[in-house]
Amino acid sequence: MEGAKIHAESAIRQKNQALNYRRMSARIDAVAARVQTALTTKQVTGSMAGVVKSMESAMKSMNLEKVSQLMDRFETQFENLDVQSQVMENTMCNSSTLTTPQGEVDGLMQQVADEAGLELNMDLPSAQGSAIGTASSTQASSEQDELSNRLAKLRQM
């Protein structure tokens, strides 16, 4: 009996340690994504600075064709920044555990309980996680469509 108690304490401690590692991993992933966003923003900002310098020299010569080309490049860079920011936000939303189908989680928990010969007496929520995942993917799809439409209008100008 004493050996079983020690084994149970050890198993619980290892399970808690594994959960802590998973939490830490998720936090590190979030930080890495933020760093990537910052680097991308820095690159786009540098490109915009170069475009602004070119615009200043073009304005001095007042070559309207050159000014128009530079404005087009600036708008393209700005749209790229918007798209990259949107992709990073969508990535952060999709990388969370909220998009895991709740039905699969409940099924796995029930399967493990059945294999262990236990009765699962928990009030499990009914597939709310999958509704959240569907809503976020629908929103992401509509935002992508909106960005595509804006880009097409800009190219027509």
Side-chain angles (χ1 to χ4, degrees), residues 48-152:
M48 286 173 34
V51 169
V52 168
K53 287 178 185 177
S54 297
M55 283 174 53
E56 287 174 353
S57 66
M59 292 297 279
K60 289 178 184 175
S61 68
M62 289 305 285
N63 184 346
L64 293 179
E65 191 174 304
K66 189 174 180 182
V67 171
S68 176
Q69 290 173 350
L70 290 173
M71 288 300 290
D72 288 341
R73 282 181 44 209
F74 178 79
E75 288 178 15
T76 301
Q77 289 290 331
F78 192 74
E79 285 295 321
N80 288 343
L81 176 63
D82 281 345
V83 169
Q84 288 175 349
S85 296
Q86 197 66 22
V87 167
M88 289 307 296
E89 288 176 16
N90 289 342
T91 301
M92 291 298 292
C93 288
N94 292 337
S95 69
S96 71
T97 58
L98 294 176
T99 58
T100 303
Q102 189 65 34
E104 290 181 24
V105 172
D106 294 344
L108 179 61
M109 289 176 64
Q110 186 64 47
Q111 178 185 355
V112 170
D114 290 344
E115 288 174 1
L118 301 173
E119 185 174 328
L120 194 59
N121 289 328
M122 296 172 40
D123 290 331
L124 298 174
S126 58
Q128 292 175 353
S130 62
I132 292 171
T134 303
S136 67
S137 66
T138 303
Q139 180 183 6
S141 176
S142 66
E143 289 174 358
Q144 183 66 30
D145 292 342
E146 180 183 332
L147 284 174
S148 296
N149 290 337
R150 284 178 50 200
L151 182 60

